[in-house]
Amino acid sequence: MTLPELAEAPLRADRRFLLPGDPGFDAAATPWNLAVRQTPAAVAIPRSVEDVVDVVRIASAHGLRIAPQSTGHSAATIAPGDLERAVLLRLHELSGVTVDRDASTARVLGGTLWRDVLAAVAPLGFTALHGSAGDVAVTGYMLGGGLSFYGRRHGLAAHTVRAFDVVTAGGELVRADADHHPSLYWALKGGGGGLGVVVGMEIALLPVTDVVGGMMLWDLDRAPEVLRAWRDWTVSAPESATTSLRFMRFPPLPQLPAFLSGRRVVIVDGAVLEADDRAAAILEPLRALTPELDTFARIPARALLDVHMDPPGPTPALGDHAVLDELPDAAIDALLEVAGPRADVPLMVAELRHLGGQLAVPRHAAMSAVQGEYAVLAIAAVPDPAMASSALALTASVVDAVRPWAGARPFFNFAERPTDPAAMHAPDTWERLRRVRAMYDPLRMFVGAHPLRAPEMS
């Protein structure tokens, strides 16, 4: 950690900043992903948009960078060394949701979590293209594209953003939409961070109050049969069905439900946006596999956040991913070899998410669409820092096993380790993103996951 000598006194005198050694600094610098240790030069916790503007201006005046972060789910993707002369801008206190019922939109402040959005919109008859976990912040999710259990019917969540409120590197608050700062608006829709501090956004809502959602569970010994059947089912599944399949290994913990504690299981979960009888017909081929547990039913849309059983709080974990063009039998065999029932591994999760449908339809955005048919995500718990290297090797082995079928570009939200952002975009998109970065942050003041590089900084 390094802090310019001239900056220390004014920052220490400002209650919005915490410096190393201050009470609360370590807690404020700790991200949601507890496997990552962050060592910024300072931490700032703004409680208003005005605070954000002030912090950016102060940091700029003292030669410091700014690393906006709401929760820190993607903390592992920040380039090594980028935080050493940066103020970590924790936005969790900048939270709130205002719903415009007539316009079917919501204004969401920059640090707001998805569970708070649904708590605000559900009583009014709406939902949104949220992710699978309620404690993920809306901003980071949208900047990375946003993959929802509504995705195959409605596309990427980033495409539902109508406007961003952004504090630029010059400390100016601007509104980026189709008519104002259109290049910035385009770039923020799936282009990642590093372009400014998103302090708010306006998102379109779905007039949906309930959905058919849930999970089916089998013992992991049935993984070869279930995985092939699910793959065959996805080939003809309608766009209304968005599902994932996971191999999961749980430790024997008393706080886990009995059907999970100490178990190795295969789970299919997701949502089917159809009437009950039509949804039942769509799900019938999976039910024919006689799952041990089947919770698919009509549920309040808000309850879809609980279906995927993501960790309810900060967790130490590392992961890897790839996007597959196809899932032939050879790919299934390769995945089963490294993560199936015969694999003697402590791997926590090996997941496949079904893509396609409207996710593959191009829109005007930095992340125009998601190519490929399946995303593969491997995540390993890291309860002890000494286990980090083995966790990285383990998750890499899962992804490497299916890499021969990974012709599609990586997906920003799933990139759990530092990844060349140029690989995530088409060449013309990547060059345009770099030009936008050069326009709005030519001195690379902002630190983001998978950092953009302005053309003159190459």
Side-chain angles (χ1 to χ4, degrees), residues 203-235:
I203 63 172
L205 302 174
L206 293 177
V208 173
T209 58
D210 48 54
V211 299
V212 174
M215 57 171 279
M216 298 182 192
L217 178 148
W218 300 260
D219 190 88
L220 190 62
D221 285 341
R222 295 192 61 189
E225 172 193 7
V226 173
L227 176 51
R228 283 186 169 82
W230 177 78
R231 185 274 315 271
D232 293 344
W233 176 80
T234 61
V235 171

Side-chain angles (χ1 to χ4, degrees), residues 135-172:
D135 65 346
V136 167
V138 179
T139 297
Y141 173 85
M142 292 298 198
L143 294 178
L147 188 59
S148 169
F149 277 137
Y150 301 118
R152 283 174 42 78
R153 168 63 65 82
H154 293 287
L156 285 168
H159 301 159
T160 69
V161 181
R162 297 291 176 260
F164 294 93
D165 296 324
V166 187
V167 178
T168 66
E172 180 185 4

